[in-house]
Each structure stands twice: as structure tokens, then as C-alpha cells.
Amino acid sequence: KEGICFDWGAALNLFRGNTVIENGARARLSEAEIRADFIEHHPLLPDGSSSCKLPGVSVDNGAANFIVGNRIQSNSGSGIKMVRTGIANLVLENAILDNGAGKNEFFPSFGAVYYLAMGAGPSEFHPADAKLDFFPSARNLCAGNTFRVDGPDPCIAHDALSTDNVESDNVSML
């Protein structure tokens, strides 16, 4: 799984001074775990792990969380992912280094910070029953972070709906 997940409306949490390393491989999952994570449509890799990797830190329907001064490194997916609805979260002064260790032919790139507006998947919730997932990841501040990414991977990436975020004073190491 992720190193930590701020999920289901998590708000006003302070995550500071932590080390989050080598999470998100999704290895050795049972069929029940694959179904519970809604990833059965993603192929398995030759090592038996899912091709769909997880980040070190996930904000999954979270608002106004503070992710400050952490070392987030060598995770299988992105360093930090804000998925479905991530609103007004602060990502400040973190070292987000060498993530995306689980890149593969199905997921060839991971950003250090990735904003996504996935919404509820078709197998997760009926649209009329979705309690969250109501807005793209927006109004987040990502500032003062140090990134090191592999080759063409972006430091900060977003999908077409999650564009109303602010990035400032981040540094990319080669």
C-alpha cells in the first residue's frame, strides 16, 4: 500500500518530519485484495505484482492537510498523489526523490507530485451514491520542495481537470 493515505475526507492533518521510503509495490496481493483495490483491470507483471503502483503519500478525497518537511523517496508510484478530490492541501519543503521505481510498460511515467481528478471508478460507487469525488484536485499549494525525478518524468503533473493548483519555489535536482 501507500506509505500513508489521507482518505475519505481527511482534513486538517499535519504530516511533518517523516521518512516515507519504498512503498506502493502492490506485490503478493491475493485476488480478494486486487478486487478490493479495484485494480483487476490492470495486468499483473511477470513478478506477480500489479502494474498499477501506489505513491508514498496519497491524498484521496482530502482537504487542507499539511505535508511538510518530509523525505519521500524510492516509492513505486509517485512521491505524492492527490486523487479524486484533493482541495487546499499544502505540500511544503519536502525532499521528494527518486520515486516511480515501479514504472513499467503499462505505467511508464510517474510525476513526483501528481494531481488527478479521477472521480469514482465505475466499480467503486454508483454516481448517485458517491459521497465524495465531487471536484477535481484543485487549490493546492506545492512550494519549496526539492525534487529529483528520473529522466523525462515531470516534477509536478496533473490531468486536464486538475489545473487550478499553485507551484512556487520548487527546486529540481538533476
Side-chain angles (χ1 to χ4, degrees):
K1 295 298 277 182
E2 303 96 330
I4 189 164
C5 183
F6 298 96
D7 200 358
W8 279 96
L12 299 171
N13 293 287
L14 173 60
F15 188 66
R16 183 180 74 184
N18 298 283
T19 300
V20 182
I21 297 177
E22 297 181 355
N23 296 284
R26 281 186 161 155
R28 298 177 300 279
L29 295 178
S30 69
E31 287 185 30
E33 289 170 312
I34 289 171
R35 281 191 306 278
D37 274 353
F38 308 106
I39 58 171
E40 61 271 9
H41 58 283
H42 295 291
L44 295 178
L45 297 174
D47 67 2
S49 69
S50 173
S51 59
C52 182
K53 305 301 183 181
L54 292 170
V57 177
S58 181
V59 179
D60 189 341
N61 284 305
N65 294 292
F66 300 83
I67 301 168
V68 180
N70 301 289
R71 179 175 163 222
I72 302 166
Q73 185 171 1
S74 301
N75 294 285
S76 291
S78 299
I80 299 173
K81 178 180 71 174
M82 294 190 196
V83 63
R84 298 182 179 89
T85 299
I87 298 176
N89 295 285
L90 301 177
V91 178
L92 305 170
E93 299 178 354
N94 298 284
I96 305 172
L97 310 169
D98 306 322
N99 293 286
K103 288 191 289 191
N104 57 73
E105 65 181 292
F106 305 101
F107 291 90
S109 178
F110 293 99
V113 175
Y114 204 177
Y115 301 109
L116 294 167
M118 288 173 41
S123 61
E124 289 185 82
F125 312 106
H126 184 278
D129 296 334
K131 307 297 187 244
L132 302 168
D133 306 325
F134 56 88
F135 197 77
S137 292
R139 301 187 181 107
N140 297 290
L141 173 62
C142 183
N145 298 287
T146 300
F147 298 116
R148 186 171 57 218
V149 298
D150 181 37
D153 285 356
C155 291
I156 300 172
H158 56 82
D159 65 10
L161 298 174
S162 299
T163 58
D164 187 19
N165 296 290
V166 176
E167 295 109 24
S168 177
D169 298 321
N170 296 297
V171 175
S172 176
M173 299 170 50
L174 298 178

